[in-house]
Amino acid sequence: MDKKLGFGLMRLPLTDPNDSGSIDIPLLKQMVDTFLERGFTYFDTAWMYCGSKSENAVKEALSSRYPRDRYTVTSKLPSGSLTDLDSRDVLFNTQLEKTGLEYFDYYLLHAVGGGNVERFKELKCFEWIKAKKAEGKVKHIGFSYHDGPELLDKLLTEHPEFDVVQLQINYLDWENPKVQSRACYEVARKHNKPVIIMEPVKGGALANVPESVERMFFNREPKMSNASWAVRFAAGLPGVMMVLSGMSNMEQLLDNTGFMADFKPLTKEETELALFAGQVIAKDMKIACTGCAYCLDQCPQNIAIPQYFKLYNENGDKQEYDALTKEFGKAGDCIVCGACEKICPQQLPVRKYLREIAEDYE
C-alpha cells in the first residue's frame, strides 16, 4: 500500500444533491476504475455513509467487478445502531453482505469519543473486534476518533492491540481547541500507531478557500489546487499511513490522484504558509461544519442542517433557503431535542446555529 491517498466513500457523486443516498453508480464505477488504474487501492466506507447506501456502492462499483487482491476496504461498527451483544454480529455480517466481501482489510469502531465509549465498553466491543481479527474476518483493527488527546491517550494505553487510529487532521483544525488535531496526532505518535487521516479538506472548506488564501497558494504554486495544499499537509506528517478524501466528481478524483501519484510533501515554508492560511480561513468561517450529514439522519424534523449551514457560510439568499424548505424541515422547526449535537463529530452547537439561521431566513 505505497500510495497514501484513500477514496473516502462518504461524499460520492449523486443524482440528487439533496439526497445523500442517490449515488450515481455509473459515474462512481468510472471513478473507481480511474482510481485503480492510477495505482491507488484504498477505499473507506461505513454503515451510515450516504444514507446507509455507501457499503452497497462498494459491491456495485468495486467488489463485484475486481479481484479481491486489487483493493483494500475499511468499514466501521456504529455505536448508534447497536442494541445488544447479538447486534454486533448482525451488523457486521450485514456489512459483509452489503459490500460483497468475505473479510475487511481494516475494521474500526466508529467515531469513538466521550459520548459512546461507555456504550462500546458495555457491549464489549473492544473484546469483540479483537476476536474478529483472530477469526480472520478482519485483517487490522482500530478506531476512528472524535475527542480530545487525554481520552485518546487513555484508550491507546488500555488497548495496545489496536493496529491503527483514524483522526481528523487538517491545517485548519491543527490548533482548533475543539478538534485538537495536533495534540491527538502527537498522542498517536507517542503510542507508535499508524494514522489514517479523515477530513483533510474539512468537508470541502479547504478546497473553496477565501480569495486572499487562494492568491497566496497560487503565488507559491500556480499549478497546484487549493485541495492539494490540504491533502499534502496531512500526507506529509510522519507516521501517516493514509489520507482519505471524499470525491464527488471525476474532476476532484483526477486532481487528487494527479498530485498524489508522485507525492511531494510540503516544505517547511509551505507548511507554515498552510497554517497561516488556516488562521485566515478560521476568521472568515461562521460554522465549521464538514457536511458529514450524521445530524440529518438523526433529526426527527428532517431539517437539512448541513445544507442550511453551507448556505449560511456562503451568504446564500432567501430564495435558495426557501427551495430547500420544500423538501426539508425549516431551521425554525427545530424541537431542541439535541439528537444532532450528540452525534456531531465537530461538537457544534447545532441548535444555536439553527436559531440564528431561522432568524435570518424566516
Side-chain angles (χ1 to χ4, degrees), residues 230-247:
V231 175
R232 289 165 63 223
F233 172 86
L237 295 167
V240 168
M241 178 190 104
M242 189 62 54
V243 177
L244 306 175
S245 180
M247 295 175 273

Side-chain angles (χ1 to χ4, degrees), residues 288-302:
C289 172
T290 65
C292 69
Y294 293 178
C295 54
L296 179 55
D297 294 335
Q298 297 295 313
C299 180
Q301 300 296 92
N302 193 35

Side-chain angles (χ1 to χ4, degrees), residues 167-237:
L167 301 173
Q168 177 171 321
I169 296 177
N170 56 67
Y171 67 73
L172 179 63
D173 290 325
W174 191 241
E175 299 293 353
N176 182 318
K178 286 188 176 179
V179 182
Q180 300 188 75
S181 282
R182 178 187 56 77
C184 289
Y185 165 73
E186 289 172 354
V187 169
R189 292 293 287 155
K190 169 187 158 186
H191 288 271
N192 201 29
K193 298 298 180 186
V195 176
I196 301 168
I197 291 181
M198 56 186 162
E199 299 292 359
V201 193
K202 189 78 171 177
L206 302 186
N208 302 300
V209 296
E211 189 179 336
S212 60
V213 172
E214 187 159 14
R215 195 161 50 247
M216 282 192 302
F217 288 159
F218 180 83
N219 289 339
R220 177 76 192 203
E221 285 277 0
K223 294 181 180 178
M224 300 300 286
S225 65
N226 297 330
S228 76
W229 283 83
V231 175
R232 289 165 63 223
F233 172 86
L237 295 167

Side-chain angles (χ1 to χ4, degrees), residues 55 57 61 68 89 94 96 115 129 139 166 180 182 195 199 216 245 256 264 279 295 322 330 338 351 357:
E55 289 172 322
R68 187 63 180 89
D89 277 331
T94 303
L96 286 176
I129 197 171
K139 301 298 182 186
Q166 184 164 308
Q180 300 188 75
R182 178 187 56 77
V195 176
E199 299 292 359
M216 282 192 302
S245 180
N256 282 346
K264 291 181 176 61
Q279 295 172 21
C295 54
D322 289 342
K330 297 179 179 179
R351 292 172 287 185
I357 290 167

